[in-house]
Amino acid sequence: MTLPGRPPSASELTLSQIMDQHQTNLLGTIHGGRILNLIDSAAGVVASRHSDGPAVTAAMDETLFLRAVRVGDVVHVEARITWAGRSSMEVAVRVTADRWDRAVPPETVATSNLVMVAVDDDGHPRPVPALLPETDADRIAFQQAEIRRAHRLTLRKALADA
């Protein structure tokens, strides 16, 4: 069964949330785990939208924390699908933050790429629509995602053979 393809814009998402003191770590900044939770949640929505059903996280790689998030920052989590295979998808996530009380440009605070797998009611992988890149940036992101996928597969094989 071949599903009709979809463009990245059909499933993209931005979540925004004000960070408060309940989300801090011992250093007084926002706990990295909270940022990871937001990243994973946004990627899950994007993958589920693209695949028309549930999707689970299979891998989270290349997560970079670029600067600390503070209490009072408004965090924006932007997620967009960059690649789709038979049942798996890669979702790129960029996290930015700005202040709740100042008109300042948002700064990138974290980036991540997640591999999501569409699953059926029994938890088995199911087919997903092809990705139809719309822009040059989408096509570049697709090519980069294929490189990351090849790297993940090579690493997995090398570790299994070790």
Side-chain angles (χ1 to χ4, degrees):
M1 172 172 88
T2 302
L3 301 171
R6 295 200 173 126
S9 62
S11 59
E12 66 187 355
L13 174 75
T14 300
L15 296 174
S16 296
Q17 183 174 353
I18 299 172
M19 296 291 108
D20 64 33
Q21 68 276 5
H22 300 296
Q23 299 156 332
T24 58
N25 57 29
L26 296 174
L27 298 174
T29 57
I30 302 306
H31 196 289
R34 178 65 186 132
I35 302 302
L36 289 173
N37 178 265
L38 292 170
I39 288 170
D40 191 40
S41 294
V45 169
V46 168
S48 295
R49 284 180 175 180
H50 181 79
S51 67
D52 277 333
V56 296
T57 307
M60 180 182 261
D61 62 22
E62 298 185 13
T63 300
L64 301 173
F65 292 99
L66 304 171
R67 83 162 184 82
V69 177
R70 302 166 294 163
V71 170
D73 281 352
V74 181
V75 169
H76 311 278
V77 183
E78 303 163 1
R80 187 173 175 97
I81 188 165
T82 53
W83 181 87
R86 286 186 307 273
S87 61
S88 63
M89 301 154 278
E90 184 188 87
V91 178
V93 181
R94 184 172 76 111
V95 182
T96 61
D98 52 27
R99 294 301 293 168
W100 70 273
D101 60 349
R102 295 189 189 96
V104 296
E107 293 183 50
T108 300
V109 297
T111 61
S112 188
N113 294 297
L114 294 87
V115 177
M116 310 297 289
V117 175
V119 294
D120 63 19
D121 292 339
D122 296 320
H124 297 107
R126 62 181 174 80
V128 300
L131 185 66
L132 303 175
E134 301 169 284
T135 66
D136 287 342
D138 290 343
R139 285 182 275 285
I140 290 168
F142 187 91
Q143 291 170 343
Q144 292 172 342
E146 286 188 319
I147 293 167
R148 283 188 293 274
R149 179 177 185 272
H151 175 73
R152 280 190 297 272
L153 293 174
T154 300
L155 178 61
R156 183 182 308 156
K157 183 179 180 332
L159 292 173
D161 292 344

